[in-house]
Every structure is written in structure tokens, then in C-alpha cells.
């Protein structure tokens, strides 16, 4: 049983991590507008790997990375390279608020993958939660807000929302992959190695799709901010939050990050915040809480 830790010991990390991850959607939009989705993702993970490298060396975890090199690099492709590229594409076509709300479905996919791959049991309440959550996504996708001037070809906003869902599925799969193949590996080795793996996977696509005209200072600032703050620093905060508050509270960051993302989008990008978005977000939130077992009702609610 996890010992009780005062809220003040982890609340600061919790709020800061939610704010950082919420801002990643804003920075992705600013970066991808000039760089394009693939270079944006490639530069983001490269910056993060360079920032984490000195910490890896200082903690003496280079041998750990060498021992698990292949598996950690594969985790980086699944947990960073693919989803970062998909989200960088998506935010060019739908509002950052919409993309961030869809991102709250990561635990839904995590529950499904754990059930299929790790034989994690899903009772009837958790199945109901999955149904509720994906219903919320369907409703959100049916009336999602497009970015002004974005192409409406290939299904309008449906394709970008689908890209977000595939990215969430990658995140959910990566969680089970890490549990199965990277259990006990030092978090710094996993964090730095995964960013290195993502950087290697995206190196050629980044070069092939490099913009013909050099992006401006705003786009470069967004890239650096994503790599340093939203990826490298966020990883460190996330692992520390797991240690201080436990995995369940760390998981709850996923639910708060869209609040920051919607606020950033509304204030800094002038994106609309509709009652439909808020309502669908609440449906997704309830479904996610129920599907992950964080919210229960009836007799099972008294279970220790």
C-alpha cells in the first residue's frame, strides 16, 4: 500500500506538469505552421534528447541505456516519434483545444491495450466507461472546430481528429510496452533513450520535409520550448510525480492539461470555446475516470 504523502509535497509538480503539457499544443501549432509536422516533431525530440543527455551522464545511467538500447529506442518511436508527428499535423487543421480534449482519451486506449496484451481485467463498469469515453470523442469529432484557412479536404476535421486518436492509441500501447519490457529500468535512461530513438526515427523525414524557406524566430522559439519545457522537463516532473504522489495521481494530469490547453488557445490564438466542446470534454473525462477504475459506483466503490 502506498504511504500517504501530503498534498503540498506534490501539488506544485502536478499543476506545473499540467500547464506544460497543455502548452505543448500551442507550441506545436506555432512550430508546425512554419516547419510542417514532421520537422516539428523531429526537432522537438532532438532538443529534448540533447537536454536530457547531460543528466543521463551525471546520474551514471549510460550503461543502463546500453543494456536496454533496442527496447528503449523502440519505445521512443511508439511513445514520441509517431504521436508527436500526428499531433503536429492535427493542430494545423483543428483547434488546439479540440486536440487536447481528444488527448484525454489516452487512458481509455491504455485500458484496452492492457486488456488485450497484458490480460488486465475489465469489469462491466470499466467497459461502460470505455463506451462513454468513445461516445464523447465521436460527438466531439462530429462538430469539432477547424482552424481558419485549413483545408477541408479528406473529410474536413475528421482526419485530424483520427490522427489524434491514433496518437492516443500509440501512447496507450507504449504504456503496456514499457510495463512489459522496461520494468525496473531507470526513468532517466528511458526518458533520454526514448527521445534519442524518436530523433533517429524522424531524422530522415525531417530532412526530406524541411521547409524551403527558413522559419522565423517565433517558430524556433516554439520548437525549443517544446523540447526543453514540454518534453525534457515534463518527463522529469512526471517521473518525480509518480514517486511522490503515485501513478494514479500522475495519470490525472491528463485530465487537467486540456483545461490549460483550451485556455492558451482561447487567449493567445483566439480559438473559440463552445459549450459543445466543454460538454464533450466532460463526457470523455467521466468515461476515462470510469474506464480506468478511478471513479466507481455501487458496492465496488467501497473496495480498498
Amino acid at each position: 500500500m502506498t504511504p500517504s504523502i501530503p498534498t503540498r509535497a506534490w501539488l506544485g509538480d502536478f499543476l506545473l506538469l499540467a500547464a506544460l503539457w497543455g502548452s505543448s499544443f500551442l507550441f506545436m501549432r506555432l512550430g508546425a505552421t512554419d516547419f510542417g509536422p514532421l520537422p516539428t516533431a523531429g526537432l522537438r525530440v532532438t532538443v529534448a534528447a540533447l537536454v536530457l543527455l547531460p543528466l543521463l551522464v551525471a546520474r551514471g545511467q549510460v550503461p543502463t541505456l546500453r543494456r536496454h538500447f533496442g527496447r528503449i529506442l523502440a519505445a521512443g518511436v511508439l511513445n514520441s516519434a509517431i504521436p508527436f508527428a500526428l499531433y503536429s499535423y492535427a493542430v494545423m487543421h483543428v483547434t488546439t483545444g479540440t486536440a487536447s480534449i481528444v488527448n484525454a482519451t489516452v487512458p481509455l486506449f491504455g485500458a484496452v491495450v492492457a486488456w488485450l496484451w497484458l490480460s488486465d481485467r475489465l469489469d462491466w463498469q470499466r467497459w461502460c466507461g470505455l463506451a462513454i469515453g468513445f461516445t464523447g470523442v465521436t460527438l466531439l469529432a462530429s462538430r469539432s472546430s477547424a482552424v481558419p484557412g485549413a483545408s477541408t479536404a479528406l473529410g474536413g476535421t475528421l482526419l485530424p481528429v483520427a490522427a489524434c486518436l491514433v496518437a492516443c492509441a500509440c501512447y496507450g500501447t507504449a504504456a503496456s510496452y514499457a510495463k512489459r519490457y522496461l520494468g525496473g529500468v531507470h526513468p532517466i535512461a528511458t526518458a533520454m533513450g526514448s527521445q534519442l530513438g524518436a530523433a533517429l526515427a524522424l531524422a530522415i523525414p525531417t530532412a526530406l520535409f524541411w521547409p524551403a524557406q527558413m522559419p522565423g524566430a517565433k517558430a524556433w522559439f516554439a520548437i525549443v520550448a517544446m523540447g526543453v519545457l514540454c518534453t525534457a522537463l515534463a518527463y522529469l516532473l512526471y517521473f518525480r510525480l509518480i514517486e511522490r504522489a503515485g501513478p494514479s495521481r500522475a495519470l490525472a494530469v491528463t485530465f487537467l492539461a486540456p483545461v490549460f490547453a483550451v485556455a492558451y488557445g482561447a487567449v493567445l490564438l483566439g480559438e473559440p470555446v463552445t459549450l459543445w466542446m466543454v460538454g464533450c470534454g466532460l463526457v470523455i473525462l467521466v468515461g476515462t475516470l470510469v474506464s480506468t477504475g478511478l471513479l466507481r459506483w455501487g458496492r465496488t466503490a467501497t473496495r480498498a
Side-chain angles (χ1 to χ4, degrees):
M1 185 174 179
T2 304
S4 178
I5 300 176
T7 302
R8 63 178 178 275
W10 54 265
L11 183 59
D13 286 353
F14 183 90
L15 294 174
L16 179 56
L17 182 57
L20 290 175
W21 275 348
S23 69
S24 66
F25 299 92
L26 167 68
F27 290 132
M28 275 190 287
R29 163 75 63 74
L30 297 177
T33 299
D34 286 0
F35 279 100
L38 289 172
T40 295
L43 289 172
R44 174 181 181 177
V45 294
T46 299
V47 170
L50 292 174
V51 171
L52 290 169
L53 178 58
L55 185 58
L56 178 81
V57 175
R59 294 287 183 89
Q61 293 301 318
V62 174
T64 302
L65 178 59
R66 288 174 179 168
R67 284 196 302 270
H68 304 278
F69 191 70
R71 291 181 175 180
I72 292 177
L73 261 62
V77 174
L78 190 60
N79 197 51
S80 295
I82 298 174
F84 287 177
L86 288 171
Y87 263 111
S88 295
Y89 156 76
V91 296
M92 296 175 65
H93 300 276
V94 296
T95 63
T96 59
T98 297
S100 66
I101 291 172
V102 176
N103 191 64
T105 64
V106 169
L108 295 179
F109 285 100
V112 172
V113 173
W115 170 64
L116 292 172
W117 191 1
L118 304 179
S119 300
D120 188 18
R121 180 175 172 271
L122 294 178
D123 58 22
W124 69 271
Q125 288 195 26
R126 296 183 69 184
W127 279 112
C128 287
L130 291 173
I132 293 171
F134 285 114
T135 297
V137 173
T138 302
L139 293 172
L140 179 65
S142 69
R143 292 173 56 180
S144 55
S145 301
V147 173
S151 173
T152 57
L154 298 176
T157 61
L158 294 181
L159 189 58
V161 171
C164 293
L165 289 173
V166 174
C168 293
C170 289
Y171 286 137
T173 304
S176 290
Y177 177 92
K179 184 175 181 180
R180 188 178 184 110
Y181 296 113
L182 298 175
V185 179
H186 196 284
I188 296 301
T190 303
M192 190 278 164
S194 63
Q195 297 311 297
L196 176 61
L200 293 174
L202 289 170
I204 293 178
T206 296
L208 290 176
F209 290 91
W210 192 261
Q213 184 175 355
M214 182 59 66
K218 183 172 68 174
W220 278 107
F221 170 79
I223 294 294
V224 174
M226 272 194 296
V228 176
L229 301 177
C230 305
T231 310
L233 177 58
Y235 260 112
L236 300 179
L237 286 172
Y238 180 66
F239 291 130
R240 189 166 71 174
L241 187 61
I242 290 177
E243 293 177 1
R244 293 184 173 185
S248 295
R249 292 191 179 105
L251 178 69
V253 173
T254 308
F255 311 139
L256 184 59
V259 177
F260 284 95
V262 170
Y264 295 143
V267 174
L268 300 177
L269 298 177
E271 294 181 345
V273 180
T274 65
L275 289 177
W276 184 261
M277 285 176 57
V278 174
C280 292
L282 291 175
V283 172
I284 293 170
L285 173 60
V286 170
T288 302
L289 290 173
V290 174
S291 70
T292 56
L294 295 176
L295 177 65
R296 305 186 68 83
W297 58 78
R299 292 182 181 180
T300 55
T302 61
R303 187 187 304 173

